[in-house]
Amino acid sequence: MDWGMKNRLSRIINPVTKRCVMLAVDHGYFLGPTSGLENLGKTVKPLLGHADALMLTRGALRTGVSADIKVPIVLRVSGGNSVVGDDLSNEDITVNTEDAIRLNVSAMALSIYVGSQYENRTVVNLAKIIDQGEKYGIPVLAVTAVGKNMVRDARYLSLASRIAAELGAHIVKTYYCKNFRKVVKTCPVPIVVAGGKKIPEKDALKLAYNSVNEGACGVDMGRNIFQSDSPMGMIKAVRAIVHENASVKKAYQIYKRG
Ligand code: 5RP
């Protein structure tokens, strides 16, 4: 792995603790102005000091985030689908790698939809972005999106995560599930866990706690932070779990303090 790739990865995953709190706000590329992201820049700005990385789209970066931030950017480079479309798996590459370089991103992120109608295109797109990333020293985060007919169980998520890793992804984003340790053990690259749809804050903190204690390097969490009644409290609480191994009880107290 070349110096540049290592340097970019070390901005995202702490090279000492091997942990990461990634704030995901890329949802607009298929959900539009989802709750909490109506004014993305305003939502994100106060949270940046507690995020190790920020995952978002090219448009959100340019219109909602100041160019002088110190937080590394994970750029969503796939899309072409929508929540009202025929099939969420119908995604393609939507950002030219040269523009990712111009935007000085620390990683590129793309979804694969294993088991869906567009499985082949999304997995081959992952390989294409990885090839581009290798050319310029930019790591790739593979998002194991779950097609509508798929079940988020360890068997499916370890299949999808391992496929992403075999194709050469540097980080895999997947979901927490029963027997999550199996997903981690069969994936040779670091895993970050998505929070998924909004759930009660204590449950989201349990999800983060279980994820890192069963081998994930951290979280790439969005809705359970920016749709919380206290996004600041939640990101601080998640950070305490991921970086200080705080208990859920202690983290929940941090969330309540805001
Ligand atoms: C869908 C994504 C999100 O980045 C991912 O799901 C994390 O966000 P959340 O915690 O809200 O699920 O890949 O756009």
Side-chain angles (χ1 to χ4, degrees):
M1 189 182 290
D2 69 27
W3 190 94
M5 182 75 83
K6 285 178 185 171
N7 178 260
R8 288 185 178 89
L9 274 171
S10 70
R11 299 175 196 166
I12 298 168
I13 299 175
N14 184 308
V16 175
T17 65
K18 308 291 184 205
R19 293 284 178 91
C20 167
V21 173
M22 201 181 290
L23 176 60
V25 292
D26 62 312
H27 307 66
Y29 87 92
F30 75 104
L31 285 176
T34 193
S35 171
L37 295 183
E38 295 88 348
N39 182 336
L40 187 142
K42 187 179 174 193
T43 298
V44 161
K45 189 174 180 180
L47 305 177
L48 288 175
H50 305 279
D52 297 309
L54 180 64
M55 177 173 171
L56 76 177
T57 63
R58 165 165 62 177
L61 182 60
R62 288 203 302 236
T63 59
V65 179
S66 168
D68 61 2
I69 66 164
K70 301 293 178 283
V71 178
I73 298 301
V74 178
L75 188 72
R76 163 66 69 170
V77 297
S78 66
N81 55 353
S82 85
V83 68
V84 295
D86 62 339
D87 187 332
L88 268 185
S89 66
N90 192 0
E91 279 198 10
D92 211 328
I93 296 169
T94 51
V95 178
N96 182 302
T97 302
E98 285 177 15
D99 205 28
I101 295 167
R102 274 192 294 271
L103 292 166
N104 197 26
V105 304
S106 295
M108 297 185 283
L110 177 141
S111 292
I112 60 171
Y113 291 78
V114 173
S116 73
Q117 181 182 350
Y118 297 95
E119 166 186 276
N120 173 260
R121 183 205 298 165
T122 61
V123 175
V124 170
N125 280 343
L126 174 65
K128 288 176 182 173
I129 288 295
I130 290 166
D131 282 342
Q132 286 284 82
E134 292 297 331
K135 193 174 170 185
Y136 298 106
I138 304 177
V140 174
L141 166 70
V143 176
T144 61
V146 181
K148 61 187 168 195
N149 301 321
M150 310 314 288
V151 178
R152 284 184 195 176
D153 61 12
R155 183 169 176 272
Y156 174 76
L157 296 175
S158 53
L159 169 69
S161 299
R162 180 58 174 264
I163 288 171
E166 296 274 355
L167 273 282
H170 302 85
I171 310 172
V172 171
K173 173 167 63 173
T174 192
Y175 292 91
Y176 182 75
C177 62
K178 192 175 170 206
N179 300 321
F180 179 69
R181 288 182 200 281
K182 176 187 179 245
V183 180
V184 173
K185 281 182 182 161
T186 54
C187 182
V189 297
I191 285 180
V192 288
V193 172
K197 288 181 178 166
K198 178 72 179 67
I199 54 179
E201 279 74 4
K202 186 165 275 188
D203 293 340
L205 293 174
K206 281 178 189 167
L207 183 152
Y209 180 86
N210 291 340
S211 298
V212 294
N213 281 279
E214 295 178 31
C217 78
V219 297
D220 178 16
M221 194 174 271
R223 286 161 288 183
N224 279 286
I225 291 174
F226 62 75
Q227 291 178 351
S228 168
D229 56 6
S230 172
M232 181 63 83
M234 267 309 276
I235 197 165
K236 285 179 180 177
V238 169
R239 195 169 182 82
I241 289 171
V242 172
H243 285 298
E244 299 162 23
N245 295 310
S247 66
V248 171
K249 183 180 177 186
K250 178 156 174 35
Y252 191 68
Q253 290 167 347
I254 293 170
Y255 150 69
K256 294 296 282 182
R257 281 203 299 268

